Amino acid sequence: MARNKIRPAVKLRPTAGAGFADVTRENRRNDPDRMVPRTYDPAVGRHADFGEEP
């Protein structure tokens, strides 16, 4: 997959403050705002909200 400015790699950190991080790619053209996906956090052992790291 080509790396470009439209679909950059984004590092996600949990809002719960655990030490786990997740990396994903986001389409800035379709979703220009910050994304807050709810994914599984193995450090906590349950699903948690992840926010983009600035």
Side-chain angles (χ1 to χ4, degrees):
M1 209 172 4
R3 302 202 191 300
N4 56 26
K5 294 179 184 177
I6 295 172
R7 187 176 284 278
V10 178
K11 185 178 261 190
L12 301 172
R13 291 282 179 178
T15 56
F20 180 74
D22 193 18
V23 177
T24 187
R25 301 179 70 73
E26 172 186 22
N27 190 337
R28 295 276 187 200
R29 187 179 296 156
N30 293 341
D31 299 313
D33 300 327
R34 300 267 182 204
M35 58 192 268
V36 182
R38 186 166 174 82
T39 59
Y40 183 75
D41 186 356
V44 179
R46 59 185 174 88
H47 280 77
D49 291 333
F50 279 65
E52 285 187 31
E53 194 173 75

